[in-house]
Amino acid sequence: MSKLTKEDLHFFLLKLHSLTGIVPIGIFLTFHLAINSLRTVGVRQYQFSIDLINNLPFLFGIEVLFIYVPLLLHSALGFYITFAGRINVRRYPYYHNWMYTLQRITGAVVFAFLVYHMGTTVVPKIYYGKELFDAAPFLIDAMNREFQTWGGRTLYLAGIFSAVFHFANGLWGFCVSWGVIVGPAAQRNAGVVFILFGLVLGLLGAATVVEFSLHPVPVAPSLAG
Amino acid sequence: MTRETIALKIKRQDAPGAKPYWNVFKLPYLPHANVISCLQEIQRNPVTADGKTVTPVTWDCNCLEEVCGSCTMLINGRVRQACTALVDILEDPIVLKPMSKFPVVRDLQVDRSRMFENLKKIKGWIEIDGSYDIGEGPVFPEKIREKAYALSQCMTCGCCLEACPQFTLTNDFMGAATFSQVRYFNLHPTGAMNKEERLEAVMKSGGIADCGNAQVCVEVCPKKIPLTESIAEIGRETTLQLLKNLVLK
Ligand code: SF4
């Protein structure tokens, strides 16, 4: 490719924005919600999954490269895109304009939620270091505490549902932007499929929240440790 | 119910950048009148409802049959052509405002040259003149002609841009009409000779990747042009072009 100009870079970054929303962030979200829903099967299974993940080799590198950097990039570009436009859904209240508007609102909600969520989970982990940080008991304890109050439950449900909406609708937007679905019928049908997908993901998240709220079972120190 | 008079509330502005103000006019009701004929009536007798003689309201219009696009304005808050806005089916008072996404020249006249500049950027024409003969135009398959015909009806009116949340007065977004014209000229067998240049013209700041898929454009286009299909199609072609540029060039 010939020399990269500022104009090309703009296009490239926006493409990267929509791509990072799916790979890796969307995929991470799907696994995150699916794995956490193991909590509805039992605390042991849940704890086992946490231990498994936290004992992965090169975990920190994987997290930085596949979660933190793409998340920051996606968020920064997302805010840039949001502020480049002007929401007008009140004057033009069509379905997709609502989706456009909600996509921006949920993006901002998820961002705020992640500052809190990561601040209470990832930051202690980095702060204490791997040796001193026993992931499973710490995280399960923290979550048990969160879901004791309606404030915590509301916060997490808002975060989860916003993230799920943003991802499901983002999948649709990605498919249109990249030209995977072109015709009106294809766009409509894909919309239905992604709504169903979003409902399933939302259900997994909600089930986990309900389980934590009803049965805040404390855990013993790490199984694998 | 017989109406005696109708009221027009018009947002006015004397010069680019000047402070806007409002005038209300009362006109005798005429059946089958449209907004243009009302504006012509005001031109003949520019007296406001409170009896002040003012400068006549200016506006753009040309064809009077919704094919030129020049009389586009906000009528009761909705972007549309004044020539096909029939007084009989409009709510009273009729509120007229210039489009908000283009610089105002005067009163209801706006400067839509941004659209024209974008058409130049994407080479919105078919190259037939050159230093050599490029031969006869190839046969146009009927299926493609049908598609192209729908796209050819764009009159650069600006409705799709006025209603687009991603298109603002100050950013550089090109908007639906431009992307649809890329598709239109690339569909033509002779036009396709400049396909890559057109695609690359929208793979820039303000280009196709800036589209947020709010899809209001397709709802407000008076010519019912399948704009969202055009956008997705150009999305596909530019994605492929990007890959091509990355690995083949
Ligand atoms: S695409 Fe439709 S709304 Fe947009 S400028 Fe052309 S005719 Fe007007």
Side-chain angles (χ1 to χ4, degrees):
Chain A
M1 203 177 158
S2 50
K3 221 174 87 228
L4 198 73
T5 64
K6 205 176 138 222
E7 298 258 286
D8 298 327
L9 190 68
H10 177 102
F11 179 73
F12 205 71
L13 283 176
L14 288 194
K15 283 301 231 197
L16 203 62
H17 172 256
S18 66
L19 186 64
T20 48
I22 315 287
V23 191
I25 302 172
I27 294 186
F28 170 78
L29 176 72
T30 310
F31 278 98
H32 190 44
L33 290 175
I35 289 175
N36 282 356
S37 71
L38 280 175
R39 179 65 180 76
T40 61
V41 184
V43 177
R44 279 182 62 89
Q45 284 83 343
Y46 181 59
Q47 187 172 2
F48 179 68
S49 75
I50 298 178
D51 285 331
L52 196 70
I53 293 170
N54 274 281
N55 290 315
L56 282 178
F58 313 112
L59 181 65
F60 188 63
I62 295 176
E63 284 180 336
V64 169
L65 207 65
F66 292 101
I67 305 176
Y68 309 145
V69 170
L71 254 182
L72 270 179
L73 199 75
H74 187 82
S75 311
L77 290 167
F79 280 114
Y80 165 75
I81 294 168
T82 302
F83 289 117
R86 284 286 281 276
I87 284 169
N88 65 3
V89 71
R90 279 236 293 257
R91 183 174 301 200
Y92 300 101
Y94 301 107
Y95 174 76
H96 284 294
N97 202 17
W98 271 112
M99 296 293 118
Y100 170 95
T101 308
L102 287 173
Q103 187 70 358
R104 277 139 188 82
I105 295 173
T106 51
V109 171
V110 176
F111 184 80
F113 171 73
L114 283 185
V115 170
Y116 176 77
H117 182 54
M118 292 173 75
T120 52
T121 53
V122 175
V123 171
K125 177 160 114 179
I126 295 172
Y127 182 74
Y128 291 118
K130 212 175 157 154
E131 290 69 40
L132 294 172
F133 184 80
D134 202 352
F138 178 88
L139 293 173
I140 295 177
D141 253 15
M143 291 306 136
N144 281 342
R145 244 177 299 116
E146 294 283 16
F147 295 115
Q148 226 96 105
T149 66
W150 275 108
R153 287 169 201 153
T154 314
L155 186 74
Y156 268 80
L157 284 177
I160 292 169
F161 288 147
S162 295
V164 166
F165 175 91
H166 195 82
F167 179 41
N169 189 50
L171 264 173
W172 182 86
F174 174 89
C175 288
V176 175
S177 297
W178 290 64
V180 179
I181 46 175
V182 175
Q187 292 190 6
R188 203 175 40 246
N189 297 341
V192 174
V193 171
F194 292 138
I195 286 174
L196 292 177
F197 174 71
L199 284 177
V200 171
L201 269 191
L203 217 67
L204 284 183
T208 313
V209 172
V210 169
E211 179 65 25
F212 264 113
S213 307
L214 295 179
H215 310 114
V217 187
V219 287
S222 175
L223 296 173
Chain B
M1 191 187 74
T2 51
R3 290 157 89 182
E4 298 268 291
T5 59
I6 54 160
L8 263 82
K9 195 175 165 211
I10 302 175
K11 189 177 181 191
R12 308 196 52 183
Q13 183 172 328
D14 292 340
K19 214 170 139 327
Y21 58 94
W22 292 84
N23 274 163
V24 179
F25 298 91
K26 283 229 154 60
L27 312 177
Y29 169 78
L30 285 175
H32 312 303
N34 62 27
V35 167
I36 301 269
S37 68
C38 293
L39 287 169
Q40 286 170 331
E41 184 55 39
I42 292 174
Q43 202 175 30
R44 279 189 284 271
N45 180 29
V47 179
T48 62
D50 45 14
K52 264 209 312 242
T53 303
V54 292
T55 52
V57 178
T58 65
W59 77 96
D60 273 330
C61 71
N62 188 9
C63 73
L64 301 183
E65 52 180 354
E66 205 186 74
V67 290
C68 80
S70 61
C71 65
T72 310
M73 57 184 75
L74 293 170
I75 300 173
N76 287 348
R78 203 191 145 87
V79 67
R80 56 185 298 182
Q81 280 70 49
C83 61
T84 43
L86 301 180
V87 168
D88 287 330
I89 47 181
L90 284 172
E91 217 177 286
D92 201 81
I94 299 168
V95 181
L96 304 183
K97 287 197 285 184
M99 281 198 279
S100 65
K101 306 277 181 88
F102 298 94
V104 173
V105 176
R106 184 172 172 176
D107 295 339
L108 301 170
Q109 280 180 299
V110 296
D111 178 0
R112 286 175 298 139
S113 48
R114 176 170 169 189
M115 294 185 81
F116 186 51
E117 291 307 318
N118 285 334
L119 285 177
K120 286 197 266 182
K121 281 187 203 150
I122 61 141
K123 290 190 187 286
W125 57 80
I126 289 180
E127 213 92 60
I128 48 167
D129 299 318
S131 52
Y132 56 91
D133 186 0
I134 59 168
E136 252 175 54
V139 177
F140 217 135
E142 174 57 17
K143 269 266 158 26
I144 296 186
R145 187 207 58 78
E146 253 174 39
K147 252 194 215 168
Y149 178 69
L151 307 180
S152 76
Q153 295 176 89
C154 175
M155 52 191 180
T156 325
C157 67
C159 285
C160 54
L161 308 179
E162 173 68 23
C164 170
Q166 203 65 34
F167 188 96
T168 68
L169 193 56
T170 46
N171 68 13
D172 63 354
F173 186 43
M174 288 172 147
T178 309
F179 305 138
S180 194
Q181 290 302 295
V182 170
R183 182 181 180 210
Y184 172 55
F185 287 106
N186 282 356
L187 266 180
H188 192 283
T190 310
M193 292 179 183
N194 300 89
K195 191 171 167 185
E196 287 200 358
E197 288 159 70
R198 289 199 195 89
L199 292 177
E200 277 166 6
V202 295
M203 292 164 70
K204 297 227 148 78
S205 174
I208 187 80
D210 290 46
C211 171
N213 295 311
Q215 302 203 335
V216 189
C217 50
V218 80
E219 304 278 358
V220 298
C221 174
K223 298 285 120 183
K224 307 253 177 302
I225 295 173
L227 292 168
T228 48
E229 189 179 293
S230 292
I231 287 170
E233 176 71 36
I234 295 305
R236 163 181 296 201
E237 305 248 310
T238 47
T239 302
L240 294 174
Q241 188 66 35
L242 176 69
L243 291 176
K244 221 166 126 187
N245 289 355
L246 284 175
V247 294
L248 295 181
K249 280 194 178 168

